[in-house]
Amino acid sequence: GASRQEVMEPFLDVFAKFRDDVRDKARDLKAEGKALFDLCDKVRDESLVELGVKLIDVPPDQPRPAPRLYDDPSVLKREIAEKKAIEREQKVAKIRGKIQLKKTEIDKYELAALPPSEALRKKFADEFSEWDAETGLPVKTAAGEEVSKKRLGNMKKELEKLSKENATLQGKQGGAAGFLQTFRDQLAELERQAAEAWAE
C-alpha cells in the first residue's frame, strides 16, 4: 500500500499553499499582518511538528520545498528548539548592542550636564593633577609638570566645546535632568526587552 508520506502529501500540499497565501496577504498588510505571521509560525512550529510534519518557508519568489513527513516528531522538536535558541541569542545580542550605545549616550550627556569646568576635570582626571580654580583649566600634568601652551590651547577649546554642549542640553525641553531621564527610561526599556527575549 501507499506510504504515510504518499497518502498525506496531497493534503499537506493544499494546506501549505493556503498558508503561503495567508503569509502573502500578511506581507501586504505590513505591520497589521504581524498577527497572521505569528499564527502561521505557530502552526508550522507547533501544530504540524506534533504531527511530524516539517514545513520550510522560503522567500515568495522561490519555489517552496514539499512538506516532509517524519515518523518521530521529537526530531523536529529538537530542530525547532535549536533554531529558536539561535534566534533568541541573535535577538538578545542585537538589543545588547543598542543598550551599549544608549549607555554611551547617557555617559556623554551626564558629562555635558555638569558645569563645564567640572566636566573638563572629570573627563581628563587621569591626565592632570592640578587645576586653576578661576579659569577651570589644568595647571600641572599628572606627572607634576607644567602644562604646555599647545596642550593648554587644546584644553581651552575642549572647555568651550563642553560649555556649548552644556548650554544646548540645558535648553532642551525639561532641561538637562528631563532630557537625561528620557534616555534612562529608554535604557530601562531596552534592558526589559533583553530580559524578556532571553526568557523566551
Side-chain angles (χ1 to χ4, degrees), residues 47-105:
S47 306
L48 289 178
V49 166
E50 287 294 337
L51 298 172
V53 177
K54 180 177 184 178
L55 266 186
I56 298 174
D57 289 326
V58 293
D61 57 346
Q62 293 182 22
R64 176 182 47 73
R68 186 175 171 191
L69 203 58
Y70 287 77
D71 290 327
D72 185 3
S74 65
V75 175
L76 276 179
K77 288 179 181 178
R78 188 165 59 250
E79 277 187 20
I80 296 291
E82 289 170 357
K83 179 187 170 193
K84 285 189 173 179
I86 292 169
E87 288 174 349
R88 181 176 64 239
E89 286 171 11
Q90 290 173 339
K91 185 177 180 180
V92 170
K94 189 176 179 181
I95 296 171
R96 282 180 176 163
K98 290 180 180 179
I99 286 172
Q100 195 52 54
L101 283 173
K102 192 61 64 178
K103 284 181 176 178
T104 301
E105 286 180 314

Side-chain angles (χ1 to χ4, degrees), residues 155-179:
M155 295 306 291
K156 280 181 182 177
K157 288 178 182 176
E158 186 67 34
L159 185 61
E160 287 169 8
K161 179 186 166 192
L162 287 168
S163 296
K164 286 178 184 176
E165 288 176 355
N166 179 267
T168 301
L169 196 58
Q170 299 297 348
K172 298 281 185 185
Q173 188 174 2
F179 186 75

